[in-house]
């Protein structure tokens, strides 16, 4: 392989999906859990992202952050700031953020109308 | 044996997230140069590719007729990672040698389960000295599946003799749940076998034997 030819190899155009204005909801249980996670400091935000990978192709990525360098849109619900990266907005429009309280497999859960299937553990979707 | 020219694509993948993306979308543990299989959610094959890791890029070498499907599949999964893909198919030829040889310096060589894969700039002449029927016979006798014959979108990797490219403990990847379930339950449905000629529904016909994908007995 001639690396000179590789440098001039025509780039494959990767179609970036359109940015969608995300509409999302948070269940009462999830709000309770977010309140206890944030405490009194409501300056933090919940970052809801998507990474490629997992058994079904995409994985949710939830983080509580002070700020992010990702290009995000901010959705504010009852004082909670939710950050959604524009690059993954098409996968997250219409989601419901829920909290499942159980010993195994408990925690925040995303109910996503855009997902055609999800893996057994619920962390990845397609 | 000898050297054949393959109908192959050469994609150049660059960026700090490139290896991680390839690893997350394919069946083998991709940490260095290796062969791996890109599969759908249902574990059906999109393509088998040789991953060649060099100092400044990663080359993905696969079956040219499957290139567009693979690109569409990978592109969807690139969200905000640092990854670029270039198509170097037109500027390189791909050969397979069944024995170890020393090619000119500008040729990249990688040892794979099929033989020695060589990616050569089009300006470099590499002499082919193996006919298609000789190559088919080599594949039959060594149980080597090939795209378009055994490795097709209708099959999953375990059915077409690519089980050794399905890593058992690498973690999640697309198609992993289906393949792990087949393995843990011992039910892979079909398998690649070599049978003496004549063979009905053979995928590759050799001189004495042929390859065929058939239902696993007692499965």
């Amino acid at each position: 392989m001639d690396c000179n030819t590789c440098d001039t190899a025509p780039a494959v155009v990767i179609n970036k999906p359109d940015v969608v204005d995300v509409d999302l909801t948070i269940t009462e249980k999830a709000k309770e859990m977010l309140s206890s996670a944030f405490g009194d400091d409501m300056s933090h935000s919940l970052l809801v992202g998507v990474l490629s990978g997992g058994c079904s192709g995409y994985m949710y990525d939830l983080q509580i952050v002070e700020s992010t360098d990702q290009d995000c849109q901010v959705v504010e619900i009852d004082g909670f700031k939710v950050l959604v990266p524009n690059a993954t907005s098409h996968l997250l429009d219409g989601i419901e953020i829920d909290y499942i309280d159980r010993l195994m497999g408990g925690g925040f859960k995303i109910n996503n109308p855009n997902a055609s299937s999800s893996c057994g553990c619920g962390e990845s979707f397609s | 044996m000898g050297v054949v020219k393959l109908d192959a694509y050469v994609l150049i993948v660059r960026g700090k997230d490139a290896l991680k993306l390839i690893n997350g979308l394919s069946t083998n543990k991709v940490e260095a140069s290796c062969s791996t299989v890109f599969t759908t959610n249902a574990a059906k094959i999109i393509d088998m590719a040789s991953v060649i890791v060099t100092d400044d890029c990663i080359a993905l070498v696969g079956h040219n007729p499957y290139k567009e499907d693979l690109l569409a599949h990978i592109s969807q999964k690139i969200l905000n990672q640092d990854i670029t893909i270039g198509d170097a198919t037109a500027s390189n030829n791909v050969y397979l040698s069944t024995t170890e040889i020393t090619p000119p310096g500008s040729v990249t060589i990688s040892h794979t389960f099929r033989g020695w894969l060589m990616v050569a700039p089009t300006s470099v002449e590499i002499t082919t000295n193996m006919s298609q029927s000789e190559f088919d016979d080599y594949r039959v006798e060594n149980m080597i599946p090939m795209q378009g014959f055994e490795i097709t979108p209708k099959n999953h990797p375990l059915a077409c003799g690519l089980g050794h490219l399905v890593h058992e403990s690498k973690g999640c990847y697309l198609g992993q749940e289906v393949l792990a379930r087949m393995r843990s339950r011992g039910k892979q449905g079909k398998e690649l076998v070599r049978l003496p000629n004549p063979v009905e529904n053979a995928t590759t016909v050799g001189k004495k034997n042929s390859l065929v994908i058939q239902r696993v007995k007692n499965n």
Side-chain angles (χ1 to χ4, degrees), chain A residues 15-84:
Chain A
N15 290 322
K16 293 201 170 166
D18 293 336
V19 175
V20 175
D21 285 335
V22 171
D23 185 24
L24 60 84
T25 54
I26 307 176
T27 64
E28 289 306 316
K29 185 72 188 168
K31 283 179 193 168
E32 276 177 38
M33 298 314 293
L34 283 174
S35 286
S36 63
F38 285 156
D40 295 332
D41 188 359
M42 294 301 276
S43 65
H44 285 65
S45 306
L46 177 68
L47 175 68
V48 184
V50 175
L51 307 171
S52 57
C55 305
S56 296
Y58 298 115
M59 287 186 302
Y60 297 112
D61 178 36
L62 292 184
Q63 297 175 48
I64 292 174
V65 296
E66 282 183 56
S67 62
T68 177
D69 54 5
Q70 294 186 61
D71 177 25
C72 288
Q73 47 189 283
V74 184
V75 182
E76 198 149 345
I77 299 173
D78 293 344
F80 296 106
K81 274 191 288 183
V82 182
L83 302 178
V84 179

Side-chain angles (χ1 to χ4, degrees), chain A residues 1-3 5-7 9-12 14 50-58 70 85 87-88 90-91 117 119-120 126, chain B residues 12 14 21 41 54 59 71 76-81 85-88 91-92 106-108 119 121 172-177:
Chain A
M1 186 165 58
D2 183 345
C3 284
T5 65
C6 299
D7 283 336
V12 172
I14 297 166
V50 175
L51 307 171
S52 57
C55 305
S56 296
Y58 298 115
Q70 294 186 61
T88 57
H90 63 292
L91 297 168
S117 65
C119 74
S126 62
Chain B
I12 305 299
R14 284 195 166 98
L21 180 85
N41 273 5
T54 70
L71 276 175
Q76 279 177 24
K77 301 296 183 294
I78 299 174
L79 298 169
N80 39 11
Q81 299 103 314
I85 303 176
D87 188 350
S91 54
N92 288 282
S106 57
V107 176
T108 301
V119 184
C172 293
Y173 57 86
L174 206 52
Q176 184 252 353
E177 285 197 332

Side-chain angles (χ1 to χ4, degrees), chain B residues 50-186:
Chain B
S50 296
V51 181
I52 303 173
V53 180
T54 70
D55 287 342
D56 72 332
C57 72
I58 297 166
L60 271 184
V61 182
H63 188 50
N64 207 23
Y66 297 169
K67 180 177 78 175
E68 293 307 322
D69 286 344
L70 183 74
L71 276 175
H73 176 70
I74 292 178
S75 299
Q76 279 177 24
K77 301 296 183 294
I78 299 174
L79 298 169
N80 39 11
Q81 299 103 314
D82 172 23
I83 291 169
T84 58
I85 303 176
D87 188 350
T89 307
S91 54
N92 288 282
N93 289 320
V94 179
Y95 301 88
L96 188 79
S97 173
T98 59
T99 53
E100 188 169 11
I101 59 171
T102 307
S106 57
V107 176
T108 301
I109 189 161
S110 179
H111 189 213
T112 72
F113 72 97
R114 293 189 293 183
W116 281 262
L117 191 74
M118 293 181 288
V119 184
T122 47
S123 56
V124 176
E125 269 305 311
I126 290 190
T127 309
T128 57
N129 53 10
M130 201 178 190
S131 68
Q132 184 61 47
S133 64
E134 286 171 327
F135 183 54
D136 286 348
D137 208 47
Y138 162 78
R139 291 201 301 105
V140 170
E141 294 313 312
N142 292 285
M143 294 274 289
I144 295 172
M146 194 75 186
Q147 291 103 325
F149 294 85
E150 292 81 23
I151 304 170
T152 73
K154 287 183 184 171
N155 292 320
H156 58 77
L158 302 180
C160 59
L162 296 177
H164 61 290
L165 302 184
V166 179
H167 199 276
E168 292 198 9
S169 57
K170 68 174 270 190
C172 293
Y173 57 86
L174 206 52
Q176 184 252 353
E177 285 197 332
V178 175
L179 293 169
R181 209 178 300 133
M182 282 179 189
R183 269 198 173 142
S184 65
R185 295 178 185 174

